[in-house]
């Protein structure tokens, strides 16, 4: 059973930075990806970024390109989401999720592809 534990959320001001972490455990697959998704109050779940831990392939949604950076440590099975220049629109509960993938797969932000999900962490950007 794959388990995901997120950490690093909090309350910050516009323009500030924050780093989220997602620690995964409970599997031995070589080819897998971890994605970050978010859900703001009254809105649907949105894919933010994803990374393959075997080859480092990444994907970002347009609204975070140039501000967020995803990275991973395959030994620790941990993924980080560095969020810079945060905006009030980034306020949401952030979830990490896990999926297996075939070799050389293109990273996608389709939530239906992900099989396991963390509990989520709150990120609030407010002055």
């Amino acid at each position: 059973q794959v388990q995901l534990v997120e950490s690093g959320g909090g309350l910050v001001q516009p323009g500030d930075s924050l780093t989220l972490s997602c620690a995964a455990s409970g599997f031995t697959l070589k080819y897998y990806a971890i994605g970050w998704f978010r859900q703001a109050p009254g809105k649907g779940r949105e894919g933010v970024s994803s990374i393959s831990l075997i080859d480092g392939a990444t994907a970002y949604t347009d609204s975070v390109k140039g501000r967020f950076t995803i990275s991973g440590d395959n030994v620790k099975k941990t993924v980080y989401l560095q969020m810079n220049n945060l905006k009030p629109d980034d306020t949401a509960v952030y979830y990490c999720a896990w999926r297996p993938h075939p070799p050389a797969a293109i990273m996608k932000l389709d939530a239906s592809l992900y099989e396991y999900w963390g509990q989520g962490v709150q990120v609030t950007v407010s002055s």
Side-chain angles (χ1 to χ4, degrees), residues 16-84:
D16 283 353
S17 298
L18 203 60
T19 300
L20 303 182
S21 299
C22 175
S25 62
F27 62 95
T28 58
L29 278 179
K30 182 178 180 181
Y31 290 90
Y32 69 97
I34 290 180
W36 285 98
F37 296 79
R38 65 187 180 186
Q39 188 163 16
K43 295 186 178 180
R45 189 165 293 186
E46 175 191 27
V48 176
S49 183
S50 67
I51 185 169
S52 165
L53 275 292
I54 190 68
D55 62 19
T58 60
Y60 295 91
T61 192
D62 286 346
S63 64
V64 308
K65 287 180 180 178
R67 298 190 299 123
F68 291 11
T69 302
I70 193 168
S71 61
D73 183 330
N74 203 12
V75 174
K76 296 181 178 179
K77 294 183 178 178
T78 299
V79 167
Y80 307 95
L81 186 67
Q82 172 70 40
M83 305 185 292
N84 296 328

Side-chain angles (χ1 to χ4, degrees), residues 68-126:
F68 291 11
T69 302
I70 193 168
S71 61
D73 183 330
N74 203 12
V75 174
K76 296 181 178 179
K77 294 183 178 178
T78 299
V79 167
Y80 307 95
L81 186 67
Q82 172 70 40
M83 305 185 292
N84 296 328
N85 190 22
L86 282 161
K87 303 176 181 181
D89 283 350
D90 296 318
T91 295
V93 177
Y94 283 71
Y95 301 87
C96 66
W98 181 99
R99 62 171 283 230
H101 69 75
I106 295 174
M107 291 298 100
K108 298 179 181 179
L109 297 176
D110 181 351
S112 67
L113 298 174
Y114 291 78
E115 299 181 5
Y116 295 93
W117 292 79
Q119 292 300 307
V121 291
Q122 177 70 45
V123 173
T124 302
V125 185
S126 175

